[in-house]
Amino acid sequence: MEPEEQPPAASEEPTEEVPETPAQPEEKVPEAQPGTEEQPPETPTETEDQPPETPATLDSDEVRIGAFICHCGTNIGGFVDVPAVVEYAKTLPNVVYATDNLYSCAEDGLASIRDAIKEHKLNRVIVASCTPRTHAPLFQSVCEEAGLNKYLFEFANIREQCSWVHMKEKEEATQKAKDLVRSAISKAALLVPQEEMRVDVVPRSLVIGGGVAGLSAALSVARQGFDVHLVEKEAELGGFVRNLNSLSLAVKSAAETIKPLIDDAMSHENITVHLNSQVEQVNGFIGNFDTTIVTDGSSKEVKVGTIIVATGALEYIPEGFYGYGMYDNVVTLTEFEILAKNHKLPKIQNVAFIQCVGSKGQDKSYCSRICCGVSIKNALYIMENYADIVGEEGGGRVEVDVSVPEISSRRRRRRRITSAEGPGAPGGAPSGGPEITIFNRDVVTYGAEHEIYYNKAREKRIRFVRYSLENLPKVKLEGEKLAVSYFHQTLKTDRKLLADMVVLATPLVAPPDASELSKKLKVPLGQDGFFLEAHMKLRPIDFATDGIFVCGTARGPADITESVAQGLGCASRAAIPMARGFIQAEAILAQVDPTICTGCGTCVENCPYGAIRMTDEGTAEVLAAACKGCGCCGATCPEKAITMMNYTDEQLLAQGRSILEGVP
Amino acid sequence: MSTDVMVIGGGIAGIQASLDIADKGGHVILVEKTPSIGGRMAQLDKTFPTNDCSICILAPKMADCYSHPNIDVMTYSEVIGVEGDAGNFNVNVLKKARYVDETMCTGCEECVVKCPVKLPNEFDQGLGERKAIYMPFAQAVPRVVTIDKENCIWFIKEKCGACKILCKREAIDYDQKDEEVNINVGSIIVAIGYDLWDPTPASEYGYGKYPNVFTGMEYERMINASGPTGGEMQRRSDGKRPHKLAFIQCVGSRNPQLGHAYCCSVCCMFSTKEAMLAREHHEDIDSAIFYKDLRAFGKGFWEYVERAKKDYGVRYINSDATVQENPKNNNPIVVYDVAGRPEKEEFDMVVLATTLIPRSDAVKVAEMIGIPLTQFGFFESKDRILGPVDTKRDGVFLAGYCREPMDIPESVAEGSAAAARAVETVLEKGVSV
């Protein structure tokens, strides 16, 4: 199959007509061949620099700039007088060659740049055309093909920033294009070659948290051929889910369902499981994290290339809500599941679930995503397991306007799960199958699967009653029953029902130790206390810091399916640098002048990537492999001790002064 | 035997899967049916809950994908046959003739300007026009034009030929033929996304009958600065911009009568976003959202709804709703009920959050690959709990909305998840050879 060619495919074309150039440097970022992952990931210990550039024409101090002005068909040429810009460029200092291209990015355009570099011994190149985001790599690679360091290339955007926005002002557009070209040339004269550093990546992952997300992540990383250290603070794997009764209405219990994951993780040769353990310390950066794992007081140093955070969440404890803590039979969803799992549920016939306890604008601002589904699952569990409790009088809701309902005697079959205690004992509600009411603010059974459960619940006559934040239901003890009084929104009356048990659906919350871990890893938490991803839409499981990833409920409420998918996703993301075996650090990075640095630490605080640390000498040091060259440190350094390579003050001032030339 | 991976579908899930595999050194063939990658996300104006410009954050990923040395992007191509097993699938791909040499076209669109044939623009949901030779949208990748053969004068009566005459790069090739290529891959990822349900049959909403009733996607295109109206909301009846907007949720979804009993997962949020954006366009706009259950369950979503209420004055009305029309001014009238009492309110535009349904060719793709669909027509996971992106067929994986209704970040995470599983497969199969 012929790979589809890209219009700017020139970089991949053989450069036939350049025999006089010294041997071409190897492709800058040698993409591993398909199947490279198969090679056992060895740990290269030496940092190996890439083949050096072979600047053909940098031997003299003379700055020789070539300027290439693109018509982009009519996109630029239709609104900017391109030949006039070329003529103007020729008059500028250091410019030894200027020309126009119909399409600089087409093969003939690229060839003209390549040829001109050699013919005119250019040692700086500017292209004035479209956007650097899509085209800078292309023009940079052409420079490299002609033997020029790619950082000696400068871009002027005269399409998006000029012709497209000044279609009705051709004269002014031409003038602006000249200004932009002049400005780029001023900077280009001051460019210096930069080298990209290559840093080897330790082919080993640290997965923090042994719940379903962490287990899924660890297993996939292991199956992709890398070592994994899986750290779990509890004595066994399985996390939050381990305590639950069931994960769906499927026959298997939760513990049975996730057992294969645990067994596989325990037995996989690439996975080292650390139980009763915590991550004590993390230093370093992508590819080379030095971590300390503490198990029962003894610590172990582990060097890893990537880290996956899967520390999970806890259930919010609803102190002060709906008689929780006061009445035995007011329980949380998880407590309900634990009772069910351990066959400790009291006799229940009438059960009220209250959703959104403490969430959605109460103690917590957010919707916890999964609780509606979980409540419905448990309601159905009750329906199925108590379905045969049908009294002689038949079913009927225990609901009255205000008065206590008449209590009729009823008969119950003894059941396996019956506990001796509990107020569901004789003297309860009238007989019938289970009566379940779910008080909600909105039923959030999103997607296809959850909605099936919701529809099933309605078929089974589980009742859904809406309440508002302004008019919360109230729970109090009435005899042996829990009376739930509420406002009926349609009938606009106060109603009351009697329940044997009230189950409170509370949100998942970030565990208290998340904040400590976030400090150790130098990754952020969001307002809600969950770990904050790099980008809400397109980088949902990455941190802004390279080499660290997050999955499952550590990043926010998620169901098991989503947690598994995110765990696998993290395994994919983490395997990328490990499969490559190295990372190519940015060449455009921050540099600290230790003779000026006062060690105030402002840069350390402001670095979004955790790429700056303080040395023992008390000055700041940039970790090249972690630095993204964003410039936050440079902008905030009070001593001006930090320089951004190729965005030096000198270069930017030259560029700025140049564009303002002639402005009164 | 092959360690290559084929990704079917060039939306955000497929793009993410491709990039992950390619970044690990694996070779990917990304097959996209339409002339450009980008998928549905490319059509959206902004994204919730940050109101980031959708194409602005997507375009760099599209570019990365297309220029990646390990990814072959096959646009305007369809998978027409799959044989073999994990580690050794033989996939037949139909590379449809676009009658333009992709290697020569630079996307200058001079041919488009001169093409005399005007047609409804699919990308703009038919609201705008395109030509018979066209760039699917401004940020299309690859940036090459395609000739719509069915409507091109050259192909109909061998006349015109304007594009060929104009093209300075001689990229137009009327003799190009459809091409069938056989590709051997070790694993397949299905990420074909969703279709938009046409609400015309649900006459109670008046779509197609009352001019000022729009679908959510039409509205997205309308408020997009590069859309057919340059970002202006315009009524179909008189071109005037609306002052009162109603959004109706669950149109066709959560509704077994209309064939879609599931929840689309994203509509509550995109309507909230659309209502907020209306206010950002014009401060005097009043918006009301009629909903069954407000499902704002993602990270920061409930807070987003609170912001819509407080800062943007969006009214949320918990009711089913249907649409009538005031014949005098073509204003849609929303009929709903409050606590069982029927109510009516006149708006000047109604936007329907129509359900997002499995792709029309999902059945075909499923049969071809030999994997089952769920009762709703989504691709079925091997194990709903522990193996969401696996299918019953070894070596075939799923990602994104085609598996289960989900939003963009979940699709991205699943793209990565499917990439992990595909790489595991080719490693395992590769080693065993």
Side-chain angles (χ1 to χ4, degrees), chain A residues 256-273:
Chain A
E256 269 176 81
T257 309
I258 63 163
K259 191 166 179 294
L261 277 186
I262 295 170
D263 290 348
D264 287 357
M266 292 302 288
S267 62
H268 202 292
E269 56 179 8
N270 290 359
I271 301 180
T272 310
V273 178

mmCIF file of all heavy atoms in Angstrom, chain A residues 256-273:
data_model
loop_
_atom_site.group_PDB
_atom_site.id
_atom_site.type_symbol
_atom_site.label_atom_id
_atom_site.label_comp_id
_atom_site.label_asym_id
_atom_site.label_seq_id
_atom_site.Cartn_x
_atom_site.Cartn_y
_atom_site.Cartn_z
ATOM 1 N N GLU A 256 -15.089 -11.444 43.191
ATOM 2 C CA GLU A 256 -14.850 -12.472 42.174
ATOM 3 C C GLU A 256 -14.569 -11.843 40.815
ATOM 4 O O GLU A 256 -13.759 -12.336 40.048
ATOM 5 C CB GLU A 256 -16.088 -13.364 42.034
ATOM 6 C CG GLU A 256 -16.114 -14.576 42.917
ATOM 7 C CD GLU A 256 -17.438 -15.294 42.729
ATOM 8 O OE1 GLU A 256 -17.563 -16.038 41.743
ATOM 9 O OE2 GLU A 256 -18.353 -15.049 43.544
ATOM 10 N N THR A 257 -15.327 -10.767 40.522
ATOM 11 C CA THR A 257 -15.176 -10.125 39.214
ATOM 12 C C THR A 257 -13.761 -9.614 39.007
ATOM 13 O O THR A 257 -13.194 -9.763 37.932
ATOM 14 C CB THR A 257 -16.169 -8.957 39.068
ATOM 15 O OG1 THR A 257 -17.458 -9.432 39.405
ATOM 16 C CG2 THR A 257 -16.185 -8.403 37.660
ATOM 17 N N ILE A 258 -13.209 -9.001 40.047
ATOM 18 C CA ILE A 258 -11.888 -8.403 39.831
ATOM 19 C C ILE A 258 -10.747 -9.355 40.194
ATOM 20 O O ILE A 258 -9.575 -9.003 40.044
ATOM 21 C CB ILE A 258 -11.735 -7.069 40.591
ATOM 22 C CG1 ILE A 258 -11.843 -7.275 42.111
ATOM 23 C CG2 ILE A 258 -12.744 -6.044 40.115
ATOM 24 C CD1 ILE A 258 -11.303 -6.098 42.900
ATOM 25 N N LYS A 259 -11.102 -10.547 40.633
ATOM 26 C CA LYS A 259 -10.055 -11.501 41.030
ATOM 27 C C LYS A 259 -9.049 -11.794 39.898
ATOM 28 O O LYS A 259 -7.834 -11.832 40.153
ATOM 29 C CB LYS A 259 -10.700 -12.802 41.524
ATOM 30 C CG LYS A 259 -9.713 -13.747 42.200
ATOM 31 C CD LYS A 259 -10.435 -14.842 42.975
ATOM 32 C CE LYS A 259 -9.454 -15.802 43.620
ATOM 33 N NZ LYS A 259 -8.679 -16.590 42.662
ATOM 34 N N PRO A 260 -9.520 -11.964 38.649
ATOM 35 C CA PRO A 260 -8.538 -12.227 37.585
ATOM 36 C C PRO A 260 -7.484 -11.129 37.471
ATOM 37 O O PRO A 260 -6.307 -11.409 37.242
ATOM 38 C CB PRO A 260 -9.384 -12.289 36.312
ATOM 39 C CG PRO A 260 -10.772 -12.539 36.767
ATOM 40 C CD PRO A 260 -10.903 -12.005 38.152
ATOM 41 N N LEU A 261 -7.917 -9.866 37.651
ATOM 42 C CA LEU A 261 -6.963 -8.762 37.578
ATOM 43 C C LEU A 261 -5.901 -8.911 38.662
ATOM 44 O O LEU A 261 -4.708 -8.739 38.424
ATOM 45 C CB LEU A 261 -7.681 -7.416 37.794
ATOM 46 C CG LEU A 261 -8.393 -6.726 36.651
ATOM 47 C CD1 LEU A 261 -8.872 -5.348 37.109
ATOM 48 C CD2 LEU A 261 -7.463 -6.561 35.454
ATOM 49 N N ILE A 262 -6.381 -9.222 39.879
ATOM 50 C CA ILE A 262 -5.458 -9.330 41.010
ATOM 51 C C ILE A 262 -4.517 -10.518 40.801
ATOM 52 O O ILE A 262 -3.299 -10.400 40.965
ATOM 53 C CB ILE A 262 -6.243 -9.472 42.327
ATOM 54 C CG1 ILE A 262 -7.047 -8.185 42.581
ATOM 55 C CG2 ILE A 262 -5.311 -9.769 43.496
ATOM 56 C CD1 ILE A 262 -8.037 -8.269 43.716
ATOM 57 N N ASP A 263 -5.081 -11.641 40.396
ATOM 58 C CA ASP A 263 -4.251 -12.839 40.183
ATOM 59 C C ASP A 263 -3.194 -12.589 39.117
ATOM 60 O O ASP A 263 -2.026 -12.937 39.285
ATOM 61 C CB ASP A 263 -5.127 -14.030 39.762
ATOM 62 C CG ASP A 263 -5.998 -14.501 40.916
ATOM 63 O OD1 ASP A 263 -5.751 -14.055 42.060
ATOM 64 O OD2 ASP A 263 -6.927 -15.307 40.667
ATOM 65 N N ASP A 264 -3.630 -11.962 38.013
ATOM 66 C CA ASP A 264 -2.682 -11.690 36.935
ATOM 67 C C ASP A 264 -1.564 -10.771 37.409
ATOM 68 O O ASP A 264 -0.397 -10.961 37.074
ATOM 69 C CB ASP A 264 -3.395 -11.039 35.735
ATOM 70 C CG ASP A 264 -4.258 -12.039 34.983
ATOM 71 O OD1 ASP A 264 -4.255 -13.228 35.360
ATOM 72 O OD2 ASP A 264 -4.946 -11.618 34.027
ATOM 73 N N ALA A 265 -1.944 -9.756 38.179
ATOM 74 C CA ALA A 265 -0.930 -8.805 38.643
ATOM 75 C C ALA A 265 0.039 -9.488 39.600
ATOM 76 O O ALA A 265 1.253 -9.264 39.542
ATOM 77 C CB ALA A 265 -1.596 -7.611 39.316
ATOM 78 N N MET A 266 -0.487 -10.338 40.470
ATOM 79 C CA MET A 266 0.360 -11.009 41.449
ATOM 80 C C MET A 266 1.331 -11.972 40.745
ATOM 81 O O MET A 266 2.439 -12.190 41.216
ATOM 82 C CB MET A 266 -0.477 -11.798 42.464
ATOM 83 C CG MET A 266 -1.329 -10.938 43.404
ATOM 84 S SD MET A 266 -0.416 -9.742 44.404
ATOM 85 C CE MET A 266 0.404 -10.820 45.581
ATOM 86 N N SER A 267 0.881 -12.543 39.621
ATOM 87 C CA SER A 267 1.707 -13.582 39.014
ATOM 88 C C SER A 267 2.532 -13.096 37.827
ATOM 89 O O SER A 267 3.366 -13.833 37.325
ATOM 90 C CB SER A 267 0.814 -14.752 38.582
ATOM 91 O OG SER A 267 -0.097 -14.298 37.602
ATOM 92 N N HIS A 268 2.294 -11.872 37.365
ATOM 93 C CA HIS A 268 3.028 -11.430 36.164
ATOM 94 C C HIS A 268 4.499 -11.208 36.485
ATOM 95 O O HIS A 268 4.836 -10.529 37.439
ATOM 96 C CB HIS A 268 2.414 -10.150 35.604
ATOM 97 C CG HIS A 268 2.740 -9.936 34.153
ATOM 98 N ND1 HIS A 268 4.011 -9.646 33.728
ATOM 99 C CD2 HIS A 268 1.974 -10.014 33.037
ATOM 100 C CE1 HIS A 268 4.007 -9.527 32.404
ATOM 101 N NE2 HIS A 268 2.779 -9.752 31.965
ATOM 102 N N GLU A 269 5.340 -11.777 35.639
ATOM 103 C CA GLU A 269 6.773 -11.697 35.940
ATOM 104 C C GLU A 269 7.326 -10.276 35.884
ATOM 105 O O GLU A 269 8.334 -9.981 36.513
ATOM 106 C CB GLU A 269 7.565 -12.588 34.965
ATOM 107 C CG GLU A 269 7.302 -12.227 33.511
ATOM 108 C CD GLU A 269 8.112 -13.083 32.531
ATOM 109 O OE1 GLU A 269 8.739 -14.039 33.010
ATOM 110 O OE2 GLU A 269 8.094 -12.768 31.339
ATOM 111 N N ASN A 270 6.654 -9.393 35.162
ATOM 112 C CA ASN A 270 7.161 -8.013 35.069
ATOM 113 C C ASN A 270 6.665 -7.121 36.210
ATOM 114 O O ASN A 270 7.025 -5.958 36.281
ATOM 115 C CB ASN A 270 6.742 -7.373 33.742
ATOM 116 C CG ASN A 270 7.467 -7.967 32.555
ATOM 117 O OD1 ASN A 270 8.305 -8.852 32.737
ATOM 118 N ND2 ASN A 270 7.144 -7.507 31.364
ATOM 119 N N ILE A 271 5.767 -7.657 37.034
ATOM 120 C CA ILE A 271 5.172 -6.796 38.059
ATOM 121 C C ILE A 271 5.693 -7.163 39.451
ATOM 122 O O ILE A 271 5.633 -8.319 39.863
ATOM 123 C CB ILE A 271 3.627 -6.892 38.043
ATOM 124 C CG1 ILE A 271 3.086 -6.486 36.668
ATOM 125 C CG2 ILE A 271 3.021 -6.012 39.144
ATOM 126 C CD1 ILE A 271 1.572 -6.556 36.543
ATOM 127 N N THR A 272 6.203 -6.153 40.152
ATOM 128 C CA THR A 272 6.570 -6.324 41.553
ATOM 129 C C THR A 272 5.513 -5.613 42.382
ATOM 130 O O THR A 272 5.301 -4.409 42.222
ATOM 131 C CB THR A 272 7.946 -5.678 41.844
ATOM 132 O OG1 THR A 272 8.871 -6.148 40.861
ATOM 133 C CG2 THR A 272 8.428 -6.032 43.233
ATOM 134 N N VAL A 273 4.819 -6.367 43.207
ATOM 135 C CA VAL A 273 3.749 -5.772 44.009
ATOM 136 C C VAL A 273 4.287 -5.418 45.396
ATOM 137 O O VAL A 273 4.920 -6.240 46.055
ATOM 138 C CB VAL A 273 2.557 -6.746 44.135
ATOM 139 C CG1 VAL A 273 1.466 -6.151 45.020
ATOM 140 C CG2 VAL A 273 1.989 -7.090 42.763
#
